[in-house]
Amino acid sequence: MERVTATDSALALIEKLKSKHGPLLFHQSGGCCDGSSPMCYPQDDFLIGKADVHLGDIGGCPFYMNKKQYEYWKHTLLIIDVVEGRGGMFSLEGPDGVRFLTRSKILPE
């Protein structure tokens, strides 16, 4: 079952970031320094561990979430979108004046 998807505007931004930074990955932040936003990193700059769950891919980029956080979100479809404004200071889209945003939809049982 699909657990993560992206809007057309998010997919366009992903393509722009991939052309600039190469392969990317996403990790849903758990609410520390950058709130709870989807964070975009160069693929080799973020280490995925045993505590991370692969939810799927968006724009050809893997999307992960910590498995403890996943327990709260496992009944939802994450919809990654883009909005204007500053987001996570470590996420690649920040300098462009936009940020990725997670919307959600409850999945049928």
Side-chain angles (χ1 to χ4, degrees), residues 84-102:
E84 289 185 19
R86 297 284 302 178
M89 65 180 133
F90 301 113
S91 194
L92 291 176
E93 78 281 3
D96 291 328
V98 294
R99 64 186 181 97
F100 288 108
L101 175 77
T102 301

Side-chain angles (χ1 to χ4, degrees), residues 7-18:
T7 64
D8 289 342
S9 57
L11 292 172
L13 180 57
I14 290 168
E15 287 305 313
K16 178 181 175 183
L17 293 171
K18 284 194 315 190

Side-chain angles (χ1 to χ4, degrees), residues 19-44:
S19 70
K20 186 175 183 180
H21 300 282
L24 307 173
L25 72 73
F26 284 84
H27 195 278
Q28 178 67 41
S29 174
C32 179
C33 302
D34 291 311
S36 27
S37 57
M39 304 296 287
C40 179
Y41 302 101
Q43 202 164 43
D44 293 336

Side-chain angles (χ1 to χ4, degrees), residues 61-73:
C61 306
F63 192 102
Y64 297 90
M65 174 184 283
N66 181 276
K67 67 181 168 183
K68 286 184 180 180
Q69 186 178 6
Y70 175 71
E71 286 304 310
Y72 294 105
W73 289 86

